[in-house]
Amino acid sequence: MSEATLVDSNVLLDIATNDPIWGDWSGRALADAFDGGAVVINQLVYAEVSVGFEHLELLDDILPASHFLRENLPWAAGFLAGKAFLAYRRRGGERRSPLPDFYIGAHAAVSGYRLLTRDRARYSTYFPTVRVIAPS
């Protein structure tokens, strides 16, 4: 059975920048995700990765729509992101507006996707139903 995977920007940036610490792990993990089913990104991931690129065409070359399923953030994910952010604030979190990570985690949660990231702690804490694929 194939399972879709939402990919966090940190994994894509590791690969795009050939990160000396995380590049190999991220490359293998992304290849495994492609072998396991659809690989999904949303506008937030796209925006975070875009920071490293001068032109839209260069970004689209490394995130081709033929390989990465581009999905809009579900409305229910916005609601869940807000609830997760509220829990974060109640635990002493200092940010005043929801971080993109909350929207990304909520997207994976409401869509039933696995989440490929290097940030296991935040996603596992605030989205315990999401199967997080992260370094040990």
Side-chain angles (χ1 to χ4, degrees), residues 68-88:
F68 293 88
L69 180 61
R70 296 175 180 197
E71 284 192 2
N72 292 320
L73 187 69
W75 286 99
F79 181 83
L80 182 57
K83 296 303 176 195
F85 180 73
L86 181 60
Y88 160 82

Side-chain angles (χ1 to χ4, degrees), residues 87-96:
Y88 160 82
R89 293 282 298 159
R90 287 181 175 159
R91 290 180 177 174
E94 300 202 7
R95 299 278 178 122
R96 297 278 178 215

Side-chain angles (χ1 to χ4, degrees), residues 7 12 25 31 34 41 64 67 70 87 102 112 117-118 128-129 133-135:
V7 182
L12 298 171
W25 181 90
F34 277 116
I41 61 173
H67 291 76
R70 296 175 180 197
F102 288 102
T117 184
R118 281 193 287 104
T129 62
I133 302 166

